Amino acid sequence: MNSQEYIEVSLKLEPFSEENAEIMMAAVSDLPFESFTTEAPFLKCYIQKDLYDARQLKLFLNEADGYGFKFTWNAALIPATNWNAEWESHFTPIIIDGTCTIKATFHKDLPKTRFNITIDPKMAFGTGHHQTTHLMCHALLQHEAEIKGKTVMDMGCGTAILSILCAKMKARKVYGIDIDAVAAISAYDNARLNRCGKIIETCCGDASLLQLNTYDVLLANINRNILLEDMPTYVRSLRREGLLFISGFYTEDLPMLEHMAESLGMELTGSDSMDNWCCARFRKKA
């Protein structure tokens, strides 16, 4: 089975700073990049191969001249990756708050915690090691009472770690959506591996699918640009006093996202950070 191929656009910034990286992200924000990473002195941008348009990117980057710093760039194909092979060579079990364990199918004889999640990622990305997944799990554990018995939507579900945790916290129903078909299939399989198949439903698509239902809780661990673009759709799909958990962005981006959420009738109820990654929680006003 082949996963989606991506183009990595690598921008070398001189001088490099988080502020300059943010400027460059803003410069290309109208292009369908799915994620960004910073590895000084580089800003790396990722886009699906079939959505990449080198000419259009060059036009956007030309507009970034004169920002007070220099940059050079190149683009390279990132082949579909067998994340299972990557994972088996590097992965160690994760324990969050002493309450939730995320482990692989090949890990045996581990101490039990309240919530035990077994993941077989196949060729979909998502092992739980990233700071944002840790932050989202921590936030959900802090709101267990508000997950129980509720309908949950997990946007960008990946391997379904967050979906499975909500199901084990006795959510009534959990839906997962991912733009990558391989991830949606992996999420489906992992839900059944964890005996949550009757509670979790997964499908391939984007935020337009949210109009099919309404939800008490919505999770979106994606990236800043997609969060800003899709937040109006998220809020419309939330029921009154519904909860929105978001991550995938830096702490300095929180005011921008908070402003957007407040303009849509949401209020910030808390946030946490880890290594400059941020997770925020909002409630829809009655």
Side-chain angles (χ1 to χ4, degrees):
M1 182 183 295
N2 290 323
S3 186
Q4 175 66 53
E5 292 185 320
Y6 282 81
I7 297 292
E8 178 189 79
V9 176
S10 182
L11 291 140
K12 184 177 181 180
L13 310 182
E14 301 179 81
F16 176 87
S17 69
E18 292 290 343
E19 181 180 358
N20 289 346
E22 289 287 342
I23 290 171
M24 293 306 297
M25 278 190 268
V28 298
S29 61
D30 288 335
L31 299 176
F33 285 104
E34 287 190 16
S35 62
F36 300 88
T37 63
T38 53
E39 300 175 15
F42 297 99
L43 167 67
K44 296 184 178 182
C45 320
Y46 297 90
I47 187 171
Q48 290 186 30
K49 179 184 175 183
D50 54 3
L51 299 178
Y52 176 65
D53 185 330
R55 182 176 175 276
Q56 188 179 33
L57 174 62
K58 188 173 181 179
L59 290 173
F60 275 83
L61 291 176
N62 284 342
E63 295 180 3
D65 283 340
Y67 283 165
F69 57 90
K70 297 178 181 179
F71 64 89
T72 56
W73 66 280
N74 62 70
L77 175 67
I78 305 297
T81 302
N82 186 334
W83 291 109
N84 216 36
E86 291 288 317
W87 202 29
E88 288 191 18
S89 63
H90 297 100
F91 180 61
T92 56
I94 306 160
I95 299 178
I96 300 172
D97 299 349
T99 303
C100 175
T101 298
I102 303 169
K103 65 183 184 68
T105 49
F106 52 83
H107 289 135
K108 306 297 181 184
D109 302 321
L110 296 176
K112 296 290 185 181
T113 53
R114 279 193 65 208
F115 304 109
N116 298 280
I117 300 173
T118 302
I119 298 296
D120 179 4
K122 296 187 177 175
M123 293 183 70
F125 177 77
T127 64
H129 279 85
H130 196 275
Q131 293 92 329
T132 58
T133 308
H134 191 287
L135 287 166
M136 289 287 279
C137 288
H138 171 75
L140 291 172
L141 291 169
Q142 298 300 309
H143 291 77
E144 182 179 352
E146 295 180 277
I147 302 298
K148 184 178 180 180
K150 300 300 176 60
T151 300
V152 179
M153 167 55 72
D154 183 5
M155 285 299 306
C157 60
T159 48
I161 288 172
L162 301 181
S163 296
I164 293 166
L165 178 57
C166 287
K168 288 179 176 286
M169 292 166 61
K170 301 191 183 304
R172 185 180 69 83
K173 189 71 179 180
V174 183
Y175 299 92
I177 295 175
D178 203 287
I179 198 168
D180 187 331
V182 173
I185 293 168
S186 179
Y188 174 92
D189 291 341
N190 284 326
R192 278 142 189 81
L193 180 63
N194 287 271
R195 300 180 181 177
C196 301
K198 293 183 179 180
I199 298 174
I200 298 172
E201 290 185 18
T202 66
C203 62
C204 179
D206 58 22
S208 64
L209 295 177
L210 291 175
Q211 63 187 324
L212 300 176
N213 203 348
T214 57
Y215 314 94
D216 301 299
V217 180
L218 193 147
L219 320 175
N221 181 15
I222 307 182
N223 69 59
R224 187 198 67 179
N225 289 343
I226 293 179
L227 291 172
L228 289 169
E229 179 180 350
D230 290 346
M231 195 176 293
T233 307
Y234 298 163
V235 175
R236 283 195 300 271
S237 71
L238 274 174
R239 297 166 184 165
R240 286 191 304 172
E241 298 190 358
L243 294 177
L244 173 64
F245 296 77
I246 60 173
S247 193
F249 58 93
Y250 296 123
T251 53
E252 54 264 32
D253 295 327
L254 179 57
M256 183 190 311
L257 289 157
E258 182 181 0
H259 177 75
M260 169 65 82
E262 288 181 346
S263 74
L264 296 168
M266 305 289 289
E267 59 180 348
L268 181 70
T269 61
S271 65
D272 295 296
S273 63
M274 178 184 291
D275 300 331
N276 204 40
W277 291 99
C278 188
C279 173
R281 304 174 297 282
F282 297 90
R283 186 180 298 276
K284 188 173 184 177
K285 296 177 182 177

